[in-house]
Amino acid sequence: MKANILLNVVVISQNNGRRHGLVKSLVVVDHVVKYLVINPGGILSKAQFFKPENIVDVNYKRMVIGNEKDIIKVNGKKVKAYLEEAFPLMDYQVVDINGEAFGHVVNATIEDDTFAITEYEISRSFFDDIDHGFAIIPAADLVYKDQVLYYEKEMFDIGFKNQGTGIANKLLGVK
């Protein structure tokens, strides 16, 4: 499944039908989605997140979890204990082997059973996305350290999807 279908959907408990808020972020550790962060709304609300194993059903509008007890609610000081080795998936910066920042994560492919990320979709720039489309990088080629995703090659070694490239090519036939 694609990561973007897990974002901005309402979280509902299956046991009582209660709505908990929208999923606002996916927290990743070692290329595995560990938590989904809920934005419950309200200024004084506690941080809320849950493990992806608790998802019963998901579509583009809603996500059903088994029980509201599956949601972890903690105050701001305790959040770091849960998320210390983690990074938020979307819009995360990607740097090549030479230390050059060249893009950010816009989506990822997640295995249904293990919630492991197999590949990341990287946007290098608006115009490059129009010309060539997003770059697809296997998760094995990216290393997370010092709060940055490092690509183990140079930025020009990135491959593209085989299904065609870029919006300009798909819509206008531009080559």
Side-chain angles (χ1 to χ4, degrees):
M1 86 177 99
K2 290 293 188 179
N4 63 341
I5 67 167
L6 300 175
L7 292 169
N8 295 317
V9 294
V10 176
V11 178
I12 301 171
S13 293
Q14 185 178 35
N15 65 332
N16 62 8
R18 181 173 178 228
R19 294 176 178 251
H20 299 282
L22 296 176
V23 174
K24 284 299 177 187
S25 181
L26 304 176
V27 177
V28 177
V29 178
D30 294 328
H31 305 299
V32 177
V33 177
K34 291 293 184 181
Y35 298 104
L36 289 87
V37 179
I38 299 172
N39 181 359
I43 297 171
L44 301 174
S45 60
K46 292 183 176 183
Q48 297 183 16
F49 45 96
F50 62 95
K51 294 182 178 186
E53 297 87 33
N54 298 319
I55 299 171
V56 175
D57 184 38
V58 66
N59 61 35
Y60 284 99
K61 293 182 181 180
R62 64 165 175 70
M63 179 180 301
V64 179
I65 60 172
N67 192 325
E68 68 181 273
K69 292 179 182 176
D70 297 332
I71 297 175
I72 302 164
K73 297 177 183 178
V74 295
N75 63 21
K77 293 178 183 176
K78 292 184 180 178
V79 170
K80 283 189 177 184
Y82 281 94
L83 309 178
E84 191 169 336
E85 294 296 321
F87 67 92
L89 180 62
M90 300 305 192
D91 293 326
Y92 209 78
Q93 185 178 27
V94 182
V95 173
D96 75 356
I97 199 165
N98 300 318
E100 297 288 327
F102 69 90
H104 62 276
V105 177
V106 293
N107 209 350
T109 303
I110 301 172
E111 291 180 354
D112 291 335
D113 299 338
T114 63
F115 299 98
I117 296 174
T118 57
E119 60 188 14
Y120 292 87
E121 293 181 23
I122 308 297
S123 170
R124 294 190 287 183
S125 73
F126 174 75
F127 294 109
D128 196 54
D129 295 345
I130 288 176
D131 289 343
H132 302 289
F134 297 130
I136 306 298
I137 299 178
D141 291 347
L142 289 167
V143 176
Y144 173 75
K145 61 183 174 187
D146 302 325
Q147 300 182 344
V148 175
L149 275 174
Y150 288 93
Y151 182 52
E152 297 297 304
K153 300 177 183 176
E154 295 205 10
M155 69 174 132
F156 299 111
D157 292 339
I158 297 176
F160 297 97
K161 274 191 172 177
N162 294 332
Q163 64 181 356
T165 58
I167 296 168
N169 187 19
K170 288 179 184 176
L171 296 177
L172 305 174
V174 176
K175 297 196 180 209

